[in-house]
């Protein structure tokens, strides 16, 4: 007798797949009755939201049930075959743990979000009413609600606002209390203003819209159930409102301290909250010095939201521990697999030897956590049955999202090339706090300390870079403004397209895409395909996607033409050389071809003595059925931005990476600039 | 016996403060219910102390500086219960506890060390005197709460201005509520103190002119502050600063008399 879960979510499947699998709410009772007719399925609950489609079931053999379920979905949604979709299949305790994590908000796109709790409750209620769920799923879901409440009340997982709109609402409520009766004026009718105004409106505020185009103002006002005023009247109206959201396309500030003081004189001791979303800013920063006026620009709101997101992610480890303890104390494993309690709980008295656990260290960003879970899954699939505890470590790069990558190398003690994203993880390795660390390999310095080794790499994701743009392109555009934080991408771009203007960008992947959407002067950004696909933002061959209401086009830059970074797309596990336990476990998940390729790439970088800020692109590939490993490299001189790069090609035995790296190096040295 | 009640009460407020600070810092939940219970127990113990002292003196137990401090603390806590929840300023308890602990701690030390703190023999009661003392100290309790609300306002304003959204930011009430509380507390204090000053002239025997004069000065300062704010001559921040600074005048008055 088993409990199981079959599903896809925003991490494992892009929206094009998830929308095909979405269940319409009015059809759920019928579908639930159909599912429990399938072999080995006695009970089921369907959870179908915009970010996940999961079916929880209870019945006989989990293997048979999952297979039947996959076939059922394939037929129902007219999918080519069950293998066309990468369903995850969870059984017994894993299925229970997953449900608890989902209900607690730990598996959500915005960690700690509360909507999912209501969605799970609703899905369960529909299943119960239509006879889909029975005794076992009733028990399991009741436990999940208890766990969800416990995790949310005993941790800070849902504290802090994680989006610009919700930060604005939080701040407004901190100034005014309840927003009923508050009046909000929106100057300019951009998307971000609309979203922020909607957030405030949802709390009872009334909206006034002013825009250069009165028709557009009326349109937005209608949508927000507010009123429109002519653009020439916005200054007068400022004296009658509590909150101003400004997002015009003015080239310079349109709101100055004198104007605000004039408006203040009219309304006395009322506070004024100004949200300046525009870039360049609409409001003179000196306005914040005025008593009773609180001015926040888009960077302030983003920073507050980012801090809250990081804080929530830091809570994940504690919440996972709470869930684990709950599962042990309540004998959830026994309930899930319907085994007698005496054998199922607690694990400490289980019969037979269990592998000692491992502690996995990772950064807390969305991508880092996704990659950490990939390694965890790989370890499970390789047969590792010990506990794997995830521990988040904040690195230098995480602590200063405001600095450009190049700024880390300034000063007497530059931290760049000492690993701004890896140093603290290595320190945790040395202190024994973690057994191994999971990195994006391109973040790892070429020269590791003597104590450390990269012992495994997962199968490499596609290495190409993607150009994300507001307008579609069939090839690299000749002109425009492109943002990237990578000197390699910047230099290649300028070499291939001298007419392009390159600007710097920092932040995690979603933040960068958001910045592209919000900055009217930018035409595109460059990002690694691997990261975008792992986060579920872009599908494998997608030509575009929707991001928070904005349409983004995708152009894939072939690796042969736009060389990737060394180690790009590779997830690596690093540990100390003395940790035999970790080395043995990790060698079981090592993907040898990837390991050979990145060994060549990193050996070349080491010979160049190149760091993360050296503009080097390198692409490796196998030929002759894996017997020959080829490499092509481009090295751009750091000191002369206008100079042509030096190019090199080599080939050799993949078991001898140093030889291939040596060939490349000799060619580079033979071609002085 | 009454000293034990005072010691227990003081420990309650100390414990309440420590608990509230730890709970706020951990960010897990707001210290509402448990904090209220601790303050309530502390208040009951304060009332016991004052009751026993009142029995011993046969009059309102404000015969020395220690008893005045305890009565002031008691007034502050009483007004917190009557008004704090109305303004939904549950966090006020976090800030009230340390002030009350400070007053009572000082009173305890004084009672234990000073011979002047011994109970006076019971004598004839002058009701106007009792009324004058009680109402005046209640007024100062309101000003003490206004001091606390002013501190909270200044803290919240600073965080909003500097764009700092730390743990305290999430737990402090909206700044508009704090301003509203300030205005009401100062107004209540003014009304009570006016009654206290007026009743001084009905007290039997001579009341030192300086004593009344100092109270009048305190009253005038708060009245000016409130009128400047209501006529928009000063903004909320300056009003909050004023409420914080002005509280030193009642304290000086109590220290001297």
């Amino acid at each position: 007798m088993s409990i199981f879960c079959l599903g896809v979510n925003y991490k494992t499947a892009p929206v094009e797949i998830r929308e095909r699998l979405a269940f319409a709410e009015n059809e759920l009772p019928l579908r639930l009755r159909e599912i429990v007719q399938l072999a080995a399925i006695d009970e089921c609950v369907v959870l179908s939201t915009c970010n996940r489609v999961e079916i929880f079931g209870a019945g006989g053999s989990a293997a048979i049930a999952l297979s039947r379920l996959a076939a059922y979905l394939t037929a129902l949604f007219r999918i080519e075959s069950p293998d066309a979709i990468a369903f995850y299949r969870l059984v017994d305790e894993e299925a229970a743990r997953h449900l608890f994590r989902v209900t607690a908000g730990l598996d959500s796109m915005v960690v700690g979000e509360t909507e999912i709790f209501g969605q799970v409750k609703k899905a369960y209620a529909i299943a119960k009413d239509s006879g889909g769920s029975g005794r076992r799923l009733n028990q399991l879901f009741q436990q999940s609600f208890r766990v969800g409440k416990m995790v949310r009340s005993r941790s800070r997982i849902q504290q802090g606002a994680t989006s610009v709109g919700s930060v604005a609402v939080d701040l407004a409520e901190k100034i005014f209390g309840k927003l009923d009766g508050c009046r909000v004026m929106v100057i300019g009718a951009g998307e971000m203003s609309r979203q922020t105004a909607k957030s405030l409106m949802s709390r009872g505020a009334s909206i006034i819209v002013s825009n250069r185009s009165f028709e557009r103002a009326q349109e937005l006002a209608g949508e927000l159930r507010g009123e429109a005023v002519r653009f020439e009247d916005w200054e007068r109206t400022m004296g009658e409102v509590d909150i101003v959201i400004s997002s015009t396309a003015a080239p310079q500030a349109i709101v100055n301290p004198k104007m605000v003081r004039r408006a203040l004189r009219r309304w006395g001791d009322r506070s004024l909250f100004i949200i300046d979303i525009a870039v360049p800013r609409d409001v003179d920063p000196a306005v914040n010095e005025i008593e009773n006026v609180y001015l926040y620009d888009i960077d302030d709101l983003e920073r507050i939201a980012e801090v809250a997101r990081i804080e929530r992610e830091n809570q994940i480890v504690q919440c996972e521990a709470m869930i684990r303890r709950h599962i042990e104390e309540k004998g959830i494993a026994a309930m899930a697999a319907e085994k007698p309690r005496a054998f199922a709980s607690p694990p400490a008295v289980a019969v037979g030897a269990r592998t000692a656990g491992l502690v996995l260290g990772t950064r807390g960003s969305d991508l880092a956590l996704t990659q950490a879970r990939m390694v965890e899954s790989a370890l499970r699939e390789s047969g590792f049955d010990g506990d794997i505890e995830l521990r988040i470590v904040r690195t230098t790069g995480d602590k200063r999202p405001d600095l450009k990558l190049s700024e880390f190398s300034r000063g007497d003690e530059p931290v760049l090339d000492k690993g701004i994203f890896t140093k603290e993880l290595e320190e945790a390795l040395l202190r024994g706090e973690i057994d191994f660390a999971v990195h994006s390999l391109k973040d790892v310095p070429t020269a590791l300390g003597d104590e450390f080794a990269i012992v495994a790499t997962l199968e490499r994701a596609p290495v190409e870079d993607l150009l994300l743009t507001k307008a579609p392109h069939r090839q690299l555009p000749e002109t425009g403004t492109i943002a990237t934080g990578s000197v390699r991408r910047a230099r290649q771009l300028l070499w291939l397209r001298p007419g392009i203007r390159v600007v710097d960008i920092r932040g995690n992947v979603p933040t960068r895409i958001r910045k592209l959407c919000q900055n009217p002067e930018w035409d595109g950004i460059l990002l690694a395909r691997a990261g975008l696909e792992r986060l579920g933002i872009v599908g494998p061959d997608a030509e575009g996607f929707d991001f928070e209401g904005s349409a983004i086009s995708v152009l894939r830059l072939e690796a042969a033409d736009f060389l990737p970074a060394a180690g790009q797309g590779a997830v690596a596990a690093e540990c100390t050389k003395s940790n035999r336990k970790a080395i043995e476990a990790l060698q079981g998940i090592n993907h040898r071809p990837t390991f050979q390729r990145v060994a060549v790439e990193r050996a070349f970088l080491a010979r160049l003595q190149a760091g993360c800020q050296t503009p080097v692109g390198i692409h490796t590939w196998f030929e002759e059925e894996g017997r020959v490993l080829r490499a092509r490299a481009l090295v751009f001189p750091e000191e002369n931005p206008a100079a042509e790069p030096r190019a090199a090609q080599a080939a050799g035995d993949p078991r001898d990476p140093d030889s291939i790296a040596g060939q490349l190096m000799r060619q580079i040295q033979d071609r002085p600039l | 016996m009454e000293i034990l009640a005072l010691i227990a009460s003081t420990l309650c407020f100390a414990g309440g403060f420590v608990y509230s600070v730890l709970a706020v810092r951990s960010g897990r939940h707001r210290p509402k219910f448990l904090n209220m219970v601790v303050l309530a127990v502390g208040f009951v113990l304060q009332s016991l102390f004052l009751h026993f002292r009142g029995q011993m003196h046969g009059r309102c137990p404000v015969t020395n500086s220690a008893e005045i401090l305890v009565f002031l603390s008691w007034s502050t806590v009483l007004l917190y219960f009557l008004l704090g929840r109305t303004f939904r300023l549950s966090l006020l308890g976090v800030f009230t506890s340390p002030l009350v602990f400070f007053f009572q701690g000082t009173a305890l030390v004084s009672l234990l060390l000073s011979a002047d703190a011994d109970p006076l023999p019971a004598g004839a009661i002058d009701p106007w005197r009792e009324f004058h003392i009680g109402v005046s100290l209640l007024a100062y309790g309101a000003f003490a709460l206004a001091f606390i609300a002013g501190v909270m306002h200044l803290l919240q304003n600073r965080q909003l201005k500097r764009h700092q959204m730390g743990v305290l930011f999430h737990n402090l009430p909206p700044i508009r509520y704090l301003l509203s509380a300030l205005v009401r507390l100062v107004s209540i204090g003014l009304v009570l103190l006016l009654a206290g000053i007026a009743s001084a002239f009905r007290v039997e025997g001579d009341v030192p002119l300086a004593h009344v004069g100092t109270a009048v000065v305190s009253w005038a300062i708060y009245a000016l502050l409130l009128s400047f704010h209501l006529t928009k001559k000063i903004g909320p921040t300056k009003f909050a600063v004023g409420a914080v600074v002005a509280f030193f005048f009642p304290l000086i008055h109590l220290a001297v008399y």
Side-chain angles (χ1 to χ4, degrees):
Chain A
M1 298 289 285
S2 295
I3 280 178
F4 41 84
C5 169
L6 180 89
V8 297
N9 65 18
Y10 67 97
K11 285 183 258 190
T12 63
V15 65
E16 296 85 13
I17 302 288
R18 298 200 308 273
E19 64 190 9
R20 287 180 70 182
L21 295 171
F23 284 80
E25 192 176 314
N26 60 344
E27 289 182 1
L28 270 175
L30 169 65
R31 302 299 173 213
L32 287 163
R33 285 194 290 274
E34 286 174 354
I35 292 171
V36 297
Q37 300 294 323
L38 300 173
I41 302 179
D42 301 324
E43 309 173 30
C44 75
V45 175
V46 172
L47 176 62
S48 181
T49 72
C50 49
N51 285 331
R52 66 187 66 246
V53 178
E54 294 174 340
I55 300 169
F56 292 88
S61 159
I64 296 174
L66 289 167
S67 168
R68 293 286 188 272
L69 209 41
Y72 169 79
L73 292 174
T74 304
L76 181 66
F77 296 110
R78 297 198 182 90
I79 295 161
E80 303 77 45
S81 86
D83 296 329
I85 295 181
F87 290 113
Y88 42 83
R89 298 159 200 247
L90 306 168
V91 179
D92 294 338
E93 189 178 323
E94 279 305 309
R97 188 193 309 275
H98 177 74
L99 176 60
F100 295 168
R101 292 186 78 252
V102 167
T103 315
L106 301 186
D107 203 55
S108 296
M109 205 179 257
V110 176
V111 170
E113 58 101 350
T114 54
E115 200 183 346
I116 186 64
F117 191 88
Q119 289 167 329
V120 174
K121 283 204 112 166
K122 193 172 178 185
Y124 169 65
I126 293 173
K128 202 163 174 240
D129 290 342
S130 58
S133 79
R135 179 183 60 85
R136 299 186 53 221
L137 286 190
N138 289 347
Q139 272 184 304
L140 183 69
F141 273 79
Q142 292 300 335
Q143 284 294 330
S144 81
F145 301 141
R146 245 175 246 135
V147 168
K149 283 181 197 157
M150 173 188 70
V151 165
R152 289 172 195 280
S153 65
R154 291 190 195 172
S155 73
R156 295 199 293 273
I157 198 74
Q158 58 184 44
Q159 274 197 14
T162 55
S163 68
V164 165
S166 50
V167 168
V169 167
D170 268 8
L171 287 168
E173 287 181 333
K174 272 302 157 188
I175 297 169
F176 303 106
K178 284 201 180 325
L179 298 184
D180 303 355
C182 267
R183 302 189 78 199
V184 180
M185 178 169 68
V186 180
I187 311 175
E191 179 57 26
M192 184 59 77
S193 301
R194 188 183 75 83
Q195 285 182 14
T196 308
K198 268 190 105 168
S199 300
L200 292 166
M201 189 186 86
S202 70
R203 299 299 179 98
S206 59
I207 311 292
I208 299 169
V209 182
S210 180
N211 193 48
R212 286 186 205 279
S213 155
F214 189 61
E215 288 71 32
R216 178 74 187 112
Q218 285 177 314
E219 189 188 316
L220 185 57
E223 187 190 331
L224 298 173
R225 297 199 290 273
E227 58 178 287
V229 299
R230 297 205 173 268
F231 195 67
E232 47 272 22
D233 294 331
W234 71 261
E235 192 184 332
R236 178 186 54 75
T237 310
M238 194 166 64
E240 299 162 11
V241 301
D242 304 287
I243 303 171
V244 173
I245 304 173
S246 183
S247 175
T248 72
Q252 59 215 16
I254 59 171
V255 179
N256 55 51
K258 194 170 161 188
M259 203 181 268
V260 172
R261 284 202 181 86
R262 212 164 32 230
L264 273 173
R265 272 198 286 276
R266 286 202 288 276
W267 77 67
D269 68 353
R270 280 165 58 184
S271 305
L272 178 64
F273 176 32
I274 304 177
I275 306 169
D276 184 359
I277 292 176
V279 177
R281 290 176 289 188
D282 282 341
V283 184
D284 186 337
V287 162
N288 195 45
E289 305 304 317
I290 301 173
E291 191 177 345
N292 233 13
V293 175
Y294 305 100
L295 169 64
Y296 283 70
D297 62 31
I298 186 64
D299 276 356
D300 294 325
L301 299 176
E302 283 274 352
R303 183 178 47 80
I304 293 167
E306 179 75 4
V307 166
R309 282 194 287 268
I310 290 173
E311 186 54 41
R312 286 193 185 195
E313 281 163 9
N314 287 343
Q315 290 287 301
I316 289 176
V317 171
Q318 291 172 23
C319 297
E320 302 269 17
M322 276 189 231
I323 290 175
R324 199 166 39 244
R325 271 196 303 275
H326 183 88
I327 288 175
E328 286 166 7
E329 285 165 13
K330 301 293 179 193
I332 301 294
M335 183 198 75
E338 208 152 60
K339 291 183 190 121
R341 274 184 178 252
F343 294 137
S345 170
V349 298
V351 176
R354 268 193 89 182
T355 312
L358 291 170
V359 180
L360 184 166
T362 174
R363 292 170 54 211
S365 69
D366 288 342
L367 181 59
L369 287 169
T370 301
Q371 290 173 170
R373 291 194 190 109
M374 285 166 60
V375 170
E376 187 185 357
S377 297
L379 279 167
R380 291 281 177 233
E381 281 171 26
S382 74
F384 183 79
D385 65 351
D387 288 334
I388 303 174
E389 181 191 332
L390 237 69
R391 197 166 291 181
I392 294 177
V393 175
R394 286 195 77 194
T395 63
T396 305
D398 296 323
K399 290 172 192 164
R400 293 302 306 271
D402 56 309
L403 285 187
K404 295 180 190 178
L405 288 174
S406 55
E407 288 179 326
F408 282 100
S409 62
R410 287 199 192 135
D412 295 331
E413 296 240 351
V415 290
L416 209 59
D417 294 357
K418 289 184 173 57
I420 58 170
F421 295 117
T422 58
K423 178 167 156 283
E424 284 77 3
L425 282 158
E426 288 183 342
E427 287 166 359
L429 281 170
L430 285 176
R431 287 193 298 266
E433 290 169 2
I434 58 176
D435 287 299
F436 67 98
V438 173
H439 306 292
S440 290
L441 189 56
K442 68 182 171 71
D443 292 339
V444 180
T446 45
L448 288 180
D450 288 338
E451 313 90 338
F452 304 111
I454 300 289
V455 294
T457 54
L458 296 184
E459 184 174 357
R460 199 172 197 171
V463 300
E464 298 91 354
D465 289 323
L466 298 182
L467 177 66
L468 308 187
T469 52
K470 293 172 185 168
H473 294 279
R474 290 194 177 279
Q475 55 185 9
L476 262 179
E478 297 289 335
T479 58
T481 300
I482 306 289
T484 175
S486 158
V487 286
R488 168 191 59 89
R489 291 187 182 119
R491 293 296 298 276
Q492 280 197 89
L493 199 53
L494 289 170
W495 177 53
L496 292 169
R497 294 287 188 270
I500 279 184
R501 178 174 155 252
V502 177
V503 296
D504 195 66
I505 187 173
R506 281 231 43 211
N508 58 30
V509 170
T511 298
R512 293 185 187 203
I513 303 175
R514 204 169 285 121
K515 284 184 177 177
L516 169 65
C517 297
Q518 289 162 6
N519 195 326
E521 292 182 3
W522 292 1
D523 299 294
I525 57 174
L526 279 167
L527 286 171
R529 180 178 166 187
L532 285 162
E533 288 185 2
R534 280 186 189 138
L535 288 172
I537 295 173
V538 168
D541 290 305
E543 292 182 352
F545 60 97
D546 182 89
F547 185 84
E548 295 177 353
S550 300
I552 303 292
S553 297
V554 177
L555 174 69
R556 192 167 76 204
L557 303 177
E558 297 299 334
D561 303 322
F562 200 90
L563 270 60
Q568 183 152 324
V571 174
E574 179 188 13
C575 66
T576 57
K577 290 177 183 168
S578 57
N579 192 334
R580 298 305 317 164
K581 173 183 72 167
I583 292 172
E584 276 173 28
L586 290 168
Q587 283 179 340
I589 66 169
N590 185 39
H591 187 255
R592 194 176 166 76
T594 300
F595 199 85
Q596 288 171 334
R597 285 173 67 188
V598 300
V600 168
E601 293 164 20
R602 287 173 61 79
F604 176 60
L605 280 197
R607 283 165 185 265
L608 270 181
Q609 293 185 327
C612 307
Q613 287 302 296
T614 309
V616 177
I618 180 165
H619 177 45
T620 54
W621 66 100
F622 284 99
E623 286 183 353
E624 296 180 28
E625 293 174 345
R627 286 191 294 274
V628 173
L629 180 56
R630 288 199 173 274
R632 180 171 170 254
L634 280 177
V635 180
F636 291 83
E638 285 183 72
E639 60 283 352
N640 184 356
E644 292 280 311
R646 287 174 282 185
Q649 292 204 62
D653 187 338
R655 292 168 296 183
D656 190 359
D658 280 332
S659 157
I660 302 172
Q663 291 177 47
L664 290 171
M665 192 64 199
R666 280 190 292 280
Q667 291 176 47
I668 295 291
Q669 285 168 333
D670 286 345
R671 290 173 192 167
L673 295 169
Chain B
M1 168 69 176
E2 79 281 9
I3 299 290
L4 286 176
L6 185 62
I7 292 171
S9 168
T10 308
L11 287 174
C12 272
F13 290 114
F17 169 61
V18 168
Y19 168 78
S20 296
V21 166
L22 289 175
V24 166
R25 282 183 66 165
S26 75
R28 279 199 289 275
H29 60 271
R30 289 186 176 199
K32 279 185 187 164
F33 176 70
L34 194 52
N35 195 52
M36 290 293 283
V37 167
V38 167
L39 285 182
V41 169
F43 179 73
V44 165
L45 291 166
Q46 276 176 322
S47 305
L48 267 177
F49 169 81
L50 292 171
H51 168 73
F52 285 132
R53 279 279 164 146
Q55 295 276 357
M56 286 173 199
H57 296 312
R59 69 194 75 181
C60 187
V62 285
T63 63
N64 55 56
S65 54
E67 288 172 356
I68 288 172
L69 280 175
V70 176
F71 198 101
L72 177 61
S73 305
W74 180 87
S75 309
T76 306
V77 178
L78 175 66
L79 281 166
Y80 165 73
F81 280 124
L82 291 177
L83 304 171
R85 288 183 67 75
T86 308
F87 301 147
R88 294 193 202 116
L89 296 177
S90 52
L91 202 63
L92 204 57
V94 172
F95 288 79
T96 308
S97 296
L99 188 67
V100 169
F101 169 70
F102 172 71
F103 285 158
Q104 287 198 180
T106 309
L108 252 181
V109 169
S110 174
L111 283 171
L112 291 171
L113 293 179
S114 170
D116 293 342
D118 288 338
L120 295 178
I125 297 175
D126 174 4
W128 279 113
R129 184 175 181 282
E130 305 300 288
F131 178 79
H132 160 75
I133 294 169
V135 161
S136 301
L137 285 174
L138 267 177
Y140 286 169
F143 291 144
L145 275 182
F147 165 84
I148 291 166
V151 167
M152 290 166 74
H153 185 284
L154 292 172
L155 272 175
Q156 187 67 300
N157 183 63
R158 183 185 153 103
Q159 292 189 107
L160 281 166
K161 280 288 189 186
R162 292 186 175 202
H163 306 164
Q164 291 167 344
M165 290 178 84
V167 170
L168 203 56
F169 173 85
H170 288 296
N171 285 284
L172 284 172
I175 206 163
R176 185 180 267 181
Y177 290 178
L178 285 166
L179 180 64
S180 173
L182 255 177
V183 170
R184 290 188 201 197
L185 285 165
V186 170
S187 305
I188 289 167
L190 282 172
V191 167
L192 290 171
L193 188 57
L194 190 62
I197 292 169
S199 58
F201 294 101
R202 303 298 301 268
V203 168
E204 283 177 16
D206 289 332
V207 175
L209 200 58
H211 170 81
V212 175
T214 319
V216 168
V217 165
S218 294
W219 188 93
I221 288 169
Y222 275 101
L224 261 176
L225 197 59
L226 185 63
S227 66
F228 279 172
H229 173 67
L230 292 176
T231 55
K232 303 178 186 14
K233 286 188 175 60
I234 59 172
T237 307
K238 291 188 179 70
F239 180 53
V241 169
V244 169
V245 171
F247 183 59
F248 287 100
F249 286 89
L251 279 182
I252 290 168
H253 180 213
L254 288 173
V256 170
Y257 291 101

